[in-house]
């Protein structure tokens, strides 16, 4: 057969893509005696359009899969879709231009299912066109019944082990998404803020100046703190200060967490402005004054600003401070603000009943757990260690949303006892079913839990979900898949979710099975839009170079060549010029093959003649 003069990558790639699928070239064989190489592939969240950053990171594990397949391994290379939580809800709200509260619960859930199904088709089409050697027989969605069953089993198991608890406590709250979030869902956003120095008067008419960027929290002020060794304020510790405008008398206390060189060296403690306020509130048993509602407006405790937005209250209070001569100075500063990673909204701290998984009491074991895997590149292990070392909150897993895995429990209306679903009832929606037995007090009246679980509470079980951990097969002719593939040979993922997907998967595997879920973890960098422009995001339009357009214009191999040109853990600038150069290289390789073809044919004929 003579090679055509001109290489047509699209014809060739579509041919081989169809051949691979029809012939089952990449199917995992449970009956094979070959050594298994298993990959715990990242399930992308259904939150928008896939972009070249995804192409970059997903190409790397495909190269690894192909390498080990050529070495004779029985490769288990599945694909999942993380579509059971807030990212999908936000996508639907953005697509329809409507707020979740404008839907009924059931209508909204169905709409989420519909949009996730369509997104899954688009994602799968791109992965196939890119040439990923995925075994599509092993696909899963984190909202499907088997995933829900394993996720609910996990909650029950952790509850029985005393590792899950419910507590009415300050929780990190997103006013935009109307839900609590976990510490791992936070990002730091640098912005310019207005800092105002205000005067807190003492009984002897002296004053303590306090610099704040959040004057709207003045009605929630419950104490003033200074550093114990700050001589400027040594004489005022133990005295009472009057909160400007609102007039409450609050104690002046000393604590080493205060930074004397920051601002005026004196700070107000409000319930709650940040995590330090929460820590002081607990440590010094201070009063609780809740001035911010869950929707981000001011509460009755902030009268006369009730119903105002945070910004409206801030501006109004600053005006009163100025009018009353209590505003000493103002200036602009660069400030790092904690925001919800999904919407960049500054978070608040709201007291509400939430479900938590215990982490803080197990930090040393969890740090050691990270040492038991081989990290590629190795320095990424430090990110894991630093994250665990600096944890200050347990994992909040309850979300006040609609679309997600329900908590498998009810509360007894008469005595408040928690009633867990039986494992034989899973998966279950407690709003549509009753417990299998009465409460210990004899009551048969139950209140279903209406919150849903954080999406990470389910995707952290990806090894168990895709490995079909709860398969009860005992036939020797059909060995259990989970025993063959777990612990996985490789976990590939991006570096920004070390604190979430990697960490939470290790937590679940350790708490449930006292083992690690994989032996190697491969960390990819970001595909970035340009120098200093940071990563691109599918929830923010996905960039200006759609992957399918690039593949159609230059070929999948050209795109894969660019994606494979940077080592693991490093960011790669998305460059159409590099992809274009790769397409030219493919043409050169084709011409080399055409040049060599007649020599190869002569060589083959010569060897055949010698053999005869």
């Amino acid at each position: 057969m003579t090679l055509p003069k001109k290489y047509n990558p699209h014809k060739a790639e579509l041919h081989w893509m169809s051949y691979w699928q029809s012939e089952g070239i990449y199917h995992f064989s449970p009956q094979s005696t070959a050594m298994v190489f298993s990959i715990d592939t990242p399930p992308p969240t259904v939150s928008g359009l896939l972009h070249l950053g995804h192409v970059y990171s997903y190409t790397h594990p495909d190269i690894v899969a192909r390498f080990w397949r050529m070495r004779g391994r029985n490769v288990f290379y599945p694909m999942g879709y993380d579509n059971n939580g807030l990212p999908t809800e936000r996508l639907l709200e953005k697509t329809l231009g409507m707020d979740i509260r404008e839907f009924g619960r059931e209508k909204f859930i169905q709409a989420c299912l519909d949009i996730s199904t369509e997104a899954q088709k688009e994602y799968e089409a791109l992965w196939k066109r890119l040439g990923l050697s995925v075994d599509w027989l092993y696909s899963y969605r984190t909202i499907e019944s088997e995933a829900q069953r394993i996720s609910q089993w996990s909650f029950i198991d952790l509850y029985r082990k005393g590792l899950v608890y419910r507590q009415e406590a300050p929780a990190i709250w997103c006013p935009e998404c109307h839900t609590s979030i976990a510490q791992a869902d936070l990002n730091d956003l640098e912005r310019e803020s207005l800092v105002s120095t205000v005067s807190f008067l003492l009984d002897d008419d002296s004053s303590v100046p306090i610099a704040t960027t959040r004057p709207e929290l003045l009605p929630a002020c419950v104490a003033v703190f200074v550093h114990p060794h700050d001589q400027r304020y040594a004489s005022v510790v133990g005295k009472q200060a009057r909160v400007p405008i609102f007039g409450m008398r609050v104690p002046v206390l000393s604590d080493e967490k205060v930074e004397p060189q920051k601002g005026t060296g004196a700070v107000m403690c409000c319930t709650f402005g940040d995590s330090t306020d929460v820590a002081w509130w607990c440590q010094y048993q201070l009063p609780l004054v809740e001035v911010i509602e869950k929707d981000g407006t001011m509460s009755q405790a902030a009268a006369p600003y009730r119903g105002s937005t945070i910004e409206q209250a801030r501006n109004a209070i600053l005006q009163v401070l100025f009018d009353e001569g209590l505003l000493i100075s103002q200036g602009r500063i660069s400030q790092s603000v904690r925001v919800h990673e999904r919407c960049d909204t500054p978070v608040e701290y709201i007291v509400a009943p939430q479900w938590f998984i215990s982490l803080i009491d197990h930090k040393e074991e969890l740090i050691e757990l990270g040492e038991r895997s081989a990290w590629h590149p190795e320095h990424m292990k430090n990110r894991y260690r630093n994250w665990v070392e600096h944890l200050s909150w347990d994992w909040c897993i309850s979300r006040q949303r609609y679309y997600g895995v329900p908590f498998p429990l009810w509360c007894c209306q008469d005595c408040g006892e928690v009633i867990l679903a039986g494992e034989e009832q899973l998966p279950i929606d407690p709003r549509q079913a009753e417990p299998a037995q009465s409460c210990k007090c004899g009551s048969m009246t139950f209140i279903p839990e209406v919150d849903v679980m954080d999406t990470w509470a389910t995707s952290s079980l990806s090894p168990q979900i895709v490995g079909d951990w709860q398969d009860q097969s005992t036939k020797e002719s059909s060995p259990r898949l989970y025993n063959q593939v777990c612990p996985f040979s490789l976990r590939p993922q991006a570096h920004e979710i070390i604190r979430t997907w990697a960490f939470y998967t290790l937590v679940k595997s350790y708490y449930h099975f006292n083992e690690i879920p994989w032996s190697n973890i491969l960390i990819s960098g970001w595909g970035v839009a340009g120098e200093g422009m940071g990563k691109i995001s599918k929830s923010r339009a996905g960039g200006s170079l759609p992957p399918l357009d690039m593949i159609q214009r230059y070929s999948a191999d050209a795109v894969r060549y660019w994606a494979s040109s940077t080592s693991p853990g490093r960011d790669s600038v998305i460059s159409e010029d590099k992809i274009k150069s790769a397409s030219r290289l493919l043409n050169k390789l084709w011409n080399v093959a055409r040049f060599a073809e007649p020599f190869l044919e002569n060589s083959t004929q010569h060897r055949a003649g010698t053999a005869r």
Side-chain angles (χ1 to χ4, degrees), residues 244-258:
I245 303 178
F246 298 93
M248 304 89 71
R249 292 162 58 86
V250 298
V252 181
L253 306 172
S254 63
D255 191 280
E256 292 189 351
K257 293 188 188 74
V258 177

Side-chain angles (χ1 to χ4, degrees), residues 40-237:
D40 185 14
T41 321
T45 57
V46 178
S47 58
L49 299 173
L50 293 175
H51 50 71
L52 283 175
H54 293 97
V55 168
Y56 171 61
S57 59
Y58 277 80
T59 298
H60 293 180
D62 183 63
I63 293 170
V64 175
R66 289 175 177 275
F67 171 82
W68 286 109
R69 199 179 284 113
M70 289 189 293
R71 295 290 298 272
R73 297 289 182 91
N74 186 16
V75 174
F76 181 71
Y77 185 18
M79 180 62 73
Y81 303 93
D82 189 9
N83 59 346
N84 77 352
L86 182 59
T88 306
E89 288 194 351
R90 294 287 295 170
L91 173 62
L92 181 61
E93 290 176 322
K94 183 177 179 181
T95 302
L96 299 182
M98 298 173 69
D99 188 276
I100 186 173
R101 291 164 292 185
E102 298 177 42
F103 291 82
R105 177 185 284 268
E106 299 307 320
K107 181 181 177 183
F108 187 81
I109 291 173
Q110 185 57 52
C112 285
L113 287 168
D114 293 342
I115 201 171
S116 355
T117 299
E118 290 306 309
Q120 180 179 335
K121 292 177 183 177
E122 294 174 4
Y123 291 8
E124 185 170 325
L126 172 59
W127 296 145
K128 287 181 176 178
R129 186 63 187 87
L130 181 64
L132 297 190
S133 58
V134 163
D135 184 349
W136 296 102
L137 295 178
Y138 293 95
S139 298
Y140 67 92
R141 300 196 303 168
T142 56
I143 196 62
E144 63 193 7
S145 60
E146 284 305 297
Q148 290 200 35
R149 181 162 62 92
I150 291 175
S151 184
Q152 291 181 336
W153 168 86
S154 168
F155 176 85
I156 291 171
D157 186 56
L158 295 178
Y159 185 92
R160 288 172 175 166
K161 290 176 176 177
L163 293 167
V164 164
Y165 64 93
R166 193 171 197 252
Q167 180 174 304
E168 186 162 3
I172 307 170
W173 186 270
C174 176
E176 172 67 21
C177 298
H178 307 289
T179 183
S180 59
I181 57 177
Q183 185 179 351
D185 298 320
L186 297 177
N187 278 339
D188 291 320
L189 180 68
E190 290 294 328
R191 70 176 185 185
E192 186 181 78
S193 298
L194 177 67
V195 60
S196 302
T197 302
V198 299
S199 180
F200 279 62
L201 297 177
L202 304 177
D203 289 340
D204 60 3
D205 290 332
S206 62
S207 66
V208 176
I210 292 180
T212 179
T213 59
R214 301 208 58 186
E216 71 275 10
L217 292 180
L218 280 171
C221 181
V222 292
V224 169
F225 279 89
V226 298
H227 194 276
H229 303 311
D230 192 337
Q231 293 304 311
R232 293 173 296 176
Y233 302 115
S235 63
V236 301
V237 174

